[in-house]
Amino acid sequence: MATANTFPTASHSAPNLGRIKRHPRNGSTPTLFPDVPPTRDSGPESLPPPGAAPERVGIARLAFSSPRADAKRGTEYFLLPVRSILNHCDSERVPFSWTVNSYRGCEFGCQYCYARYTHEFMDLDGADFERKIFVKQDAGALAARDLIVEKIQGEHIAIGTATDPYQPAEREFGVTRAILERMAERKGLSVSITTKSDQVLRDVDLLRRIAEHSNISVNVSITTLRTRLARLLEPRAPRPDLRMNAVRELRRAGISAGVFAMPILPGITDRPEDLDALARAARDAGAQWFAASVLFLMPSAQNQFFPFLDAKFPKLARRYRDWFSRSNYAPETYRREMLARVAALRKKYGLGSRPVEVVRQDEGSEQMSLGLEFNAEGNAPERVASACAAQSPLRVLASG
């Protein structure tokens, strides 16, 4: 019988996934929501009819008016006007001051994704996170303007804290590349990219140009080396071997890169032999660091993940509900156990615990070090990024 802080080992067999039907195209560009009569302050006759949506404000209003640009693979893409590309983050729990998310929503559809709650700011359900993707307009011009602000000098910019910058939409809309092109024109920046996609290799030329005058590193997220399991957990993300090869190619190109083994899913990806294989593969690919954190499950993510467990891992479903229904975190004893396991693997394979960035002094910036801090509770980028977005919805609304 499993103890309060351990899980039975789940079977890693996964059913074949059917093809996703492409959404039909048409010549129109419908908005995301149907028209709703505007509300007024005078007279009951001006109130919206029963059941009508309330008047939206902020990012929800922008989403409401965003025209649909395309529809593919069962996913709709909308053009979202935003005021800025950089989002300031002043939470004490994060090791960076600025974040960049090229898109709102992510087509990879990871079953456990914590960032689903960000769609709720737009009056959308978390289940729409991978079906309705918002493409930020004028990214290059906005990034050029944001990057000249003096206060960002010497502070770290984290790209991909909530949505993957190299999800499929990037092939067609190129928002991430437009931002990187502007970063390549600047000097003295400190930048990191976190992605599940080998598409990052497309931008090696830009990454090398940025590295000439700034510090840049890439974190490739790989939860498991088991291909069928990864397809089940992360339906549209590239295969684990492609991601690991991206680490190898980035290192060959002279770009700092490491592996984020996160999140660790209790009873699913936490077996000692699986984590060992992942750390060994990271070492063999030339990764400079190997970082991990345990699953962080907010209510919007639970709404997606719990039914998934019921269908695919029924023996684990009850334990997950016991653990996460009362808290977004796994029990501390389990988190400490995983941290110790990962620390032992780093020592075994000679891997670092975090990327270290040094901003060059020759561009007038003070030298600084940036580390992704992992405290006793197992807080890591996935969790601290959530803290940044959650601590001030107004900041999220302001930047889109």
Side-chain angles (χ1 to χ4, degrees), residues 112 222-223 261-271 275 278 290-296 320 324 330 334-335 337-339 341-342 382-383:
Y112 49 77
I222 308 174
T223 52
M262 53 184 70
I264 294 176
L265 301 171
I268 300 175
T269 65
D270 62 350
R271 297 196 304 185
L275 289 174
L278 186 53
F290 183 76
S293 66
V294 175
L295 178 68
F296 170 71
Y320 268 88
F324 292 100
Y334 177 84
R335 299 201 306 271
E337 178 185 350
M338 291 301 106
L339 285 175
R341 184 174 297 175
V342 171
E382 165 182 301
R383 239 172 249 161

mmCIF file of all heavy atoms in Angstrom, residues 112 222-223 261-271 275 278 290-296 320 324 330 334-335 337-339 341-342 382-383:
data_model
loop_
_atom_site.group_PDB
_atom_site.id
_atom_site.type_symbol
_atom_site.label_atom_id
_atom_site.label_comp_id
_atom_site.label_asym_id
_atom_site.label_seq_id
_atom_site.Cartn_x
_atom_site.Cartn_y
_atom_site.Cartn_z
ATOM 1 N N TYR A 112 -1.153 18.972 -17.941
ATOM 2 C CA TYR A 112 -0.929 19.486 -16.591
ATOM 3 C C TYR A 112 -0.649 20.987 -16.550
ATOM 4 O O TYR A 112 -0.368 21.529 -15.482
ATOM 5 C CB TYR A 112 0.299 18.775 -15.993
ATOM 6 C CG TYR A 112 1.479 18.787 -16.922
ATOM 7 C CD1 TYR A 112 2.251 19.929 -17.088
ATOM 8 C CD2 TYR A 112 1.805 17.658 -17.680
ATOM 9 C CE1 TYR A 112 3.316 19.957 -17.975
ATOM 10 C CE2 TYR A 112 2.866 17.674 -18.566
ATOM 11 C CZ TYR A 112 3.617 18.824 -18.706
ATOM 12 O OH TYR A 112 4.665 18.857 -19.583
ATOM 13 N N ILE A 222 11.941 18.891 -20.768
ATOM 14 C CA ILE A 222 11.724 17.483 -21.124
ATOM 15 C C ILE A 222 11.264 16.758 -19.876
ATOM 16 O O ILE A 222 12.016 16.631 -18.910
ATOM 17 C CB ILE A 222 13.010 16.825 -21.672
ATOM 18 C CG1 ILE A 222 13.613 17.667 -22.802
ATOM 19 C CG2 ILE A 222 12.714 15.408 -22.156
ATOM 20 C CD1 ILE A 222 14.961 17.155 -23.298
ATOM 21 N N THR A 223 10.045 16.278 -19.874
ATOM 22 C CA THR A 223 9.502 15.622 -18.679
ATOM 23 C C THR A 223 9.848 14.138 -18.621
ATOM 24 O O THR A 223 9.948 13.559 -17.544
ATOM 25 C CB THR A 223 7.976 15.772 -18.635
ATOM 26 O OG1 THR A 223 7.427 15.341 -19.885
ATOM 27 C CG2 THR A 223 7.586 17.224 -18.404
ATOM 28 N N ALA A 261 13.686 19.341 -16.276
ATOM 29 C CA ALA A 261 12.881 18.131 -16.118
ATOM 30 C C ALA A 261 11.667 18.484 -15.268
ATOM 31 O O ALA A 261 11.544 18.055 -14.120
ATOM 32 C CB ALA A 261 13.712 17.026 -15.459
ATOM 33 N N MET A 262 10.784 19.246 -15.846
ATOM 34 C CA MET A 262 9.669 19.740 -15.066
ATOM 35 C C MET A 262 8.416 19.860 -15.916
ATOM 36 O O MET A 262 8.506 20.158 -17.109
ATOM 37 C CB MET A 262 10.014 21.089 -14.428
ATOM 38 C CG MET A 262 10.509 22.158 -15.375
ATOM 39 S SD MET A 262 10.998 23.676 -14.530
ATOM 40 C CE MET A 262 12.489 23.161 -13.688
ATOM 41 N N PRO A 263 7.304 19.566 -15.270
ATOM 42 C CA PRO A 263 7.198 19.160 -13.878
ATOM 43 C C PRO A 263 7.413 17.658 -13.709
ATOM 44 O O PRO A 263 7.160 16.878 -14.631
ATOM 45 C CB PRO A 263 5.759 19.529 -13.509
ATOM 46 C CG PRO A 263 5.011 19.302 -14.782
ATOM 47 C CD PRO A 263 5.948 19.748 -15.874
ATOM 48 N N ILE A 264 7.883 17.276 -12.539
ATOM 49 C CA ILE A 264 7.896 15.859 -12.172
ATOM 50 C C ILE A 264 6.472 15.496 -11.778
ATOM 51 O O ILE A 264 5.877 16.126 -10.900
ATOM 52 C CB ILE A 264 8.862 15.602 -11.006
ATOM 53 C CG1 ILE A 264 10.303 15.859 -11.447
ATOM 54 C CG2 ILE A 264 8.700 14.184 -10.477
ATOM 55 C CD1 ILE A 264 11.317 15.732 -10.331
ATOM 56 N N LEU A 265 5.913 14.476 -12.417
ATOM 57 C CA LEU A 265 4.540 14.053 -12.155
ATOM 58 C C LEU A 265 4.552 12.832 -11.234
ATOM 59 O O LEU A 265 5.045 11.769 -11.635
ATOM 60 C CB LEU A 265 3.837 13.718 -13.463
ATOM 61 C CG LEU A 265 3.760 14.861 -14.485
ATOM 62 C CD1 LEU A 265 3.248 14.351 -15.820
ATOM 63 C CD2 LEU A 265 2.887 15.975 -13.973
ATOM 64 N N PRO A 266 4.056 12.962 -10.018
ATOM 65 C CA PRO A 266 4.072 11.843 -9.064
ATOM 66 C C PRO A 266 3.454 10.579 -9.640
ATOM 67 O O PRO A 266 2.355 10.603 -10.196
ATOM 68 C CB PRO A 266 3.248 12.386 -7.891
ATOM 69 C CG PRO A 266 3.407 13.874 -7.961
ATOM 70 C CD PRO A 266 3.447 14.177 -9.431
ATOM 71 N N GLY A 267 4.180 9.494 -9.526
ATOM 72 C CA GLY A 267 3.689 8.201 -9.973
ATOM 73 C C GLY A 267 3.716 8.000 -11.472
ATOM 74 O O GLY A 267 3.409 6.914 -11.956
ATOM 75 N N ILE A 268 4.091 9.044 -12.237
ATOM 76 C CA ILE A 268 4.070 8.959 -13.691
ATOM 77 C C ILE A 268 5.461 9.148 -14.288
ATOM 78 O O ILE A 268 5.904 8.348 -15.121
ATOM 79 C CB ILE A 268 3.084 9.994 -14.281
ATOM 80 C CG1 ILE A 268 1.667 9.725 -13.766
ATOM 81 C CG2 ILE A 268 3.106 9.941 -15.808
ATOM 82 C CD1 ILE A 268 0.645 10.768 -14.204
ATOM 83 N N THR A 269 6.164 10.182 -13.874
ATOM 84 C CA THR A 269 7.504 10.438 -14.423
ATOM 85 C C THR A 269 8.586 10.457 -13.348
ATOM 86 O O THR A 269 9.712 10.866 -13.630
ATOM 87 C CB THR A 269 7.537 11.787 -15.174
ATOM 88 O OG1 THR A 269 7.305 12.861 -14.247
ATOM 89 C CG2 THR A 269 6.489 11.834 -16.276
ATOM 90 N N ASP A 270 8.254 10.025 -12.146
ATOM 91 C CA ASP A 270 9.207 10.176 -11.034
ATOM 92 C C ASP A 270 9.999 8.923 -10.700
ATOM 93 O O ASP A 270 10.741 8.900 -9.717
ATOM 94 C CB ASP A 270 8.469 10.652 -9.782
ATOM 95 C CG ASP A 270 7.407 9.658 -9.296
ATOM 96 O OD1 ASP A 270 7.110 8.684 -10.032
ATOM 97 O OD2 ASP A 270 6.864 9.861 -8.193
ATOM 98 N N ARG A 271 9.901 7.869 -11.490
ATOM 99 C CA ARG A 271 10.643 6.653 -11.173
ATOM 100 C C ARG A 271 12.145 6.930 -11.224
ATOM 101 O O ARG A 271 12.625 7.621 -12.139
ATOM 102 C CB ARG A 271 10.289 5.531 -12.151
ATOM 103 C CG ARG A 271 8.829 5.121 -12.085
ATOM 104 C CD ARG A 271 8.565 3.787 -12.748
ATOM 105 N NE ARG A 271 9.009 3.735 -14.133
ATOM 106 C CZ ARG A 271 8.790 2.703 -14.944
ATOM 107 N NH1 ARG A 271 8.133 1.638 -14.499
ATOM 108 N NH2 ARG A 271 9.222 2.721 -16.189
ATOM 109 N N LEU A 275 14.237 9.125 -14.229
ATOM 110 C CA LEU A 275 14.946 10.380 -13.996
ATOM 111 C C LEU A 275 16.442 10.215 -14.247
ATOM 112 O O LEU A 275 17.101 11.119 -14.767
ATOM 113 C CB LEU A 275 14.693 10.875 -12.580
ATOM 114 C CG LEU A 275 13.279 11.403 -12.305
ATOM 115 C CD1 LEU A 275 13.102 11.725 -10.820
ATOM 116 C CD2 LEU A 275 12.987 12.643 -13.150
ATOM 117 N N LEU A 278 17.031 10.340 -17.932
ATOM 118 C CA LEU A 278 16.880 11.697 -18.421
ATOM 119 C C LEU A 278 18.115 12.540 -18.116
ATOM 120 O O LEU A 278 18.617 13.276 -18.974
ATOM 121 C CB LEU A 278 15.630 12.324 -17.804
ATOM 122 C CG LEU A 278 15.211 13.709 -18.288
ATOM 123 C CD1 LEU A 278 15.083 13.750 -19.806
ATOM 124 C CD2 LEU A 278 13.895 14.112 -17.624
ATOM 125 N N PHE A 290 20.759 20.757 -15.119
ATOM 126 C CA PHE A 290 19.632 19.828 -15.055
ATOM 127 C C PHE A 290 18.795 20.243 -13.852
ATOM 128 O O PHE A 290 19.207 20.060 -12.714
ATOM 129 C CB PHE A 290 20.142 18.389 -14.903
ATOM 130 C CG PHE A 290 19.053 17.347 -14.904
ATOM 131 C CD1 PHE A 290 18.418 16.972 -16.083
ATOM 132 C CD2 PHE A 290 18.677 16.722 -13.722
ATOM 133 C CE1 PHE A 290 17.431 16.006 -16.086
ATOM 134 C CE2 PHE A 290 17.690 15.747 -13.712
ATOM 135 C CZ PHE A 290 17.066 15.386 -14.899
ATOM 136 N N ALA A 291 17.651 20.847 -14.121
ATOM 137 C CA ALA A 291 16.804 21.376 -13.054
ATOM 138 C C ALA A 291 15.447 20.701 -13.085
ATOM 139 O O ALA A 291 14.986 20.262 -14.137
ATOM 140 C CB ALA A 291 16.643 22.890 -13.210
ATOM 141 N N ALA A 292 14.816 20.605 -11.938
ATOM 142 C CA ALA A 292 13.523 19.932 -11.860
ATOM 143 C C ALA A 292 12.675 20.525 -10.754
ATOM 144 O O ALA A 292 13.189 21.098 -9.793
ATOM 145 C CB ALA A 292 13.728 18.428 -11.620
ATOM 146 N N SER A 293 11.370 20.373 -10.909
ATOM 147 C CA SER A 293 10.433 20.738 -9.859
ATOM 148 C C SER A 293 9.209 19.849 -9.967
ATOM 149 O O SER A 293 8.904 19.308 -11.038
ATOM 150 C CB SER A 293 10.020 22.214 -9.966
ATOM 151 O OG SER A 293 9.280 22.431 -11.148
ATOM 152 N N VAL A 294 8.513 19.708 -8.859
ATOM 153 C CA VAL A 294 7.337 18.846 -8.802
ATOM 154 C C VAL A 294 6.115 19.601 -9.323
ATOM 155 O O VAL A 294 6.028 20.828 -9.231
ATOM 156 C CB VAL A 294 7.107 18.354 -7.361
ATOM 157 C CG1 VAL A 294 5.816 17.552 -7.242
ATOM 158 C CG2 VAL A 294 8.296 17.505 -6.902
ATOM 159 N N LEU A 295 5.179 18.865 -9.855
ATOM 160 C CA LEU A 295 3.942 19.407 -10.400
ATOM 161 C C LEU A 295 3.300 20.442 -9.478
ATOM 162 O O LEU A 295 3.186 20.258 -8.272
ATOM 163 C CB LEU A 295 2.955 18.264 -10.631
ATOM 164 C CG LEU A 295 1.568 18.628 -11.152
ATOM 165 C CD1 LEU A 295 1.658 19.155 -12.573
ATOM 166 C CD2 LEU A 295 0.647 17.413 -11.088
ATOM 167 N N PHE A 296 2.887 21.536 -10.093
ATOM 168 C CA PHE A 296 2.163 22.614 -9.431
ATOM 169 C C PHE A 296 0.815 22.697 -10.139
ATOM 170 O O PHE A 296 0.762 22.895 -11.349
ATOM 171 C CB PHE A 296 2.958 23.915 -9.585
ATOM 172 C CG PHE A 296 2.229 25.161 -9.159
ATOM 173 C CD1 PHE A 296 1.975 25.414 -7.823
ATOM 174 C CD2 PHE A 296 1.823 26.097 -10.102
ATOM 175 C CE1 PHE A 296 1.327 26.580 -7.441
ATOM 176 C CE2 PHE A 296 1.186 27.264 -9.734
ATOM 177 C CZ PHE A 296 0.928 27.503 -8.385
ATOM 178 N N TYR A 320 -4.049 11.910 -6.399
ATOM 179 C CA TYR A 320 -3.859 13.280 -6.882
ATOM 180 C C TYR A 320 -4.910 14.213 -6.295
ATOM 181 O O TYR A 320 -4.594 15.346 -5.894
ATOM 182 C CB TYR A 320 -3.919 13.324 -8.417
ATOM 183 C CG TYR A 320 -2.575 13.183 -9.092
ATOM 184 C CD1 TYR A 320 -2.047 11.933 -9.406
ATOM 185 C CD2 TYR A 320 -1.822 14.314 -9.422
ATOM 186 C CE1 TYR A 320 -0.823 11.799 -10.045
ATOM 187 C CE2 TYR A 320 -0.599 14.198 -10.052
ATOM 188 C CZ TYR A 320 -0.096 12.936 -10.359
ATOM 189 O OH TYR A 320 1.124 12.823 -10.978
ATOM 190 N N PHE A 324 -3.884 17.468 -4.209
ATOM 191 C CA PHE A 324 -3.978 18.776 -4.835
ATOM 192 C C PHE A 324 -5.317 19.485 -4.659
ATOM 193 O O PHE A 324 -5.412 20.676 -4.990
ATOM 194 C CB PHE A 324 -3.655 18.650 -6.323
ATOM 195 C CG PHE A 324 -2.217 18.306 -6.598
ATOM 196 C CD1 PHE A 324 -1.844 17.002 -6.892
ATOM 197 C CD2 PHE A 324 -1.228 19.281 -6.556
ATOM 198 C CE1 PHE A 324 -0.510 16.671 -7.145
ATOM 199 C CE2 PHE A 324 0.097 18.971 -6.814
ATOM 200 C CZ PHE A 324 0.462 17.667 -7.097
ATOM 201 N N ALA A 330 2.240 19.518 -4.118
ATOM 202 C CA ALA A 330 2.377 18.192 -3.532
ATOM 203 C C ALA A 330 2.909 18.343 -2.103
ATOM 204 O O ALA A 330 3.482 19.380 -1.752
ATOM 205 C CB ALA A 330 3.346 17.356 -4.371
ATOM 206 N N TYR A 334 7.288 14.891 -0.088
ATOM 207 C CA TYR A 334 7.502 14.371 -1.436
ATOM 208 C C TYR A 334 8.386 15.317 -2.232
ATOM 209 O O TYR A 334 9.305 14.881 -2.942
ATOM 210 C CB TYR A 334 6.164 14.175 -2.146
ATOM 211 C CG TYR A 334 6.319 13.702 -3.576
ATOM 212 C CD1 TYR A 334 6.485 12.343 -3.864
ATOM 213 C CD2 TYR A 334 6.321 14.605 -4.636
ATOM 214 C CE1 TYR A 334 6.645 11.900 -5.164
ATOM 215 C CE2 TYR A 334 6.474 14.177 -5.943
ATOM 216 C CZ TYR A 334 6.642 12.824 -6.200
ATOM 217 O OH TYR A 334 6.807 12.396 -7.503
ATOM 218 N N ARG A 335 8.155 16.612 -2.127
ATOM 219 C CA ARG A 335 8.959 17.574 -2.870
ATOM 220 C C ARG A 335 10.424 17.497 -2.439
ATOM 221 O O ARG A 335 11.335 17.572 -3.267
ATOM 222 C CB ARG A 335 8.416 18.992 -2.660
ATOM 223 C CG ARG A 335 6.991 19.164 -3.135
ATOM 224 C CD ARG A 335 6.627 20.610 -3.413
ATOM 225 N NE ARG A 335 6.867 21.508 -2.310
ATOM 226 C CZ ARG A 335 5.995 21.791 -1.355
ATOM 227 N NH1 ARG A 335 4.814 21.182 -1.327
ATOM 228 N NH2 ARG A 335 6.285 22.662 -0.409
ATOM 229 N N GLU A 337 11.916 14.899 -1.221
ATOM 230 C CA GLU A 337 12.449 13.636 -1.736
ATOM 231 C C GLU A 337 12.885 13.782 -3.188
ATOM 232 O O GLU A 337 13.961 13.315 -3.590
ATOM 233 C CB GLU A 337 11.391 12.539 -1.610
ATOM 234 C CG GLU A 337 11.833 11.183 -2.166
ATOM 235 C CD GLU A 337 10.719 10.158 -2.144
ATOM 236 O OE1 GLU A 337 9.661 10.431 -1.526
ATOM 237 O OE2 GLU A 337 10.896 9.096 -2.761
ATOM 238 N N MET A 338 12.062 14.448 -3.998
ATOM 239 C CA MET A 338 12.390 14.636 -5.402
ATOM 240 C C MET A 338 13.595 15.561 -5.571
ATOM 241 O O MET A 338 14.461 15.329 -6.431
ATOM 242 C CB MET A 338 11.186 15.185 -6.167
ATOM 243 C CG MET A 338 10.046 14.197 -6.315
ATOM 244 S SD MET A 338 10.521 12.669 -7.185
ATOM 245 C CE MET A 338 10.584 11.518 -5.787
ATOM 246 N N LEU A 339 13.659 16.621 -4.777
ATOM 247 C CA LEU A 339 14.798 17.528 -4.863
ATOM 248 C C LEU A 339 16.096 16.795 -4.553
ATOM 249 O O LEU A 339 17.117 17.002 -5.201
ATOM 250 C CB LEU A 339 14.618 18.703 -3.905
ATOM 251 C CG LEU A 339 13.620 19.781 -4.331
ATOM 252 C CD1 LEU A 339 13.462 20.813 -3.230
ATOM 253 C CD2 LEU A 339 14.069 20.451 -5.617
ATOM 254 N N ARG A 341 16.621 13.594 -4.910
ATOM 255 C CA ARG A 341 16.886 12.643 -5.995
ATOM 256 C C ARG A 341 17.548 13.346 -7.168
ATOM 257 O O ARG A 341 18.512 12.855 -7.758
ATOM 258 C CB ARG A 341 15.581 11.981 -6.424
ATOM 259 C CG ARG A 341 15.734 10.900 -7.480
ATOM 260 C CD ARG A 341 14.413 10.198 -7.733
ATOM 261 N NE ARG A 341 13.934 9.503 -6.533
ATOM 262 C CZ ARG A 341 12.756 8.891 -6.441
ATOM 263 N NH1 ARG A 341 11.936 8.888 -7.486
ATOM 264 N NH2 ARG A 341 12.403 8.281 -5.328
ATOM 265 N N VAL A 342 17.042 14.509 -7.509
ATOM 266 C CA VAL A 342 17.593 15.267 -8.629
ATOM 267 C C VAL A 342 18.988 15.781 -8.307
ATOM 268 O O VAL A 342 19.895 15.765 -9.147
ATOM 269 C CB VAL A 342 16.647 16.422 -9.007
ATOM 270 C CG1 VAL A 342 17.301 17.354 -10.027
ATOM 271 C CG2 VAL A 342 15.338 15.874 -9.571
ATOM 272 N N GLU A 382 8.696 27.128 -13.218
ATOM 273 C CA GLU A 382 7.284 26.928 -13.503
ATOM 274 C C GLU A 382 6.420 27.561 -12.430
ATOM 275 O O GLU A 382 5.425 28.214 -12.686
ATOM 276 C CB GLU A 382 7.020 25.425 -13.596
ATOM 277 C CG GLU A 382 5.551 25.055 -13.537
ATOM 278 C CD GLU A 382 5.385 23.557 -13.592
ATOM 279 O OE1 GLU A 382 5.830 22.942 -14.570
ATOM 280 O OE2 GLU A 382 4.813 22.999 -12.658
ATOM 281 N N ARG A 383 6.815 27.395 -11.184
ATOM 282 C CA ARG A 383 6.020 27.899 -10.086
ATOM 283 C C ARG A 383 6.188 29.391 -9.881
ATOM 284 O O ARG A 383 5.249 30.116 -9.621
ATOM 285 C CB ARG A 383 6.435 27.166 -8.805
ATOM 286 C CG ARG A 383 5.276 26.442 -8.162
ATOM 287 C CD ARG A 383 5.771 25.591 -7.033
ATOM 288 N NE ARG A 383 5.628 24.209 -7.393
ATOM 289 C CZ ARG A 383 6.279 23.241 -6.809
ATOM 290 N NH1 ARG A 383 7.141 23.509 -5.867
ATOM 291 N NH2 ARG A 383 6.077 22.003 -7.158
#
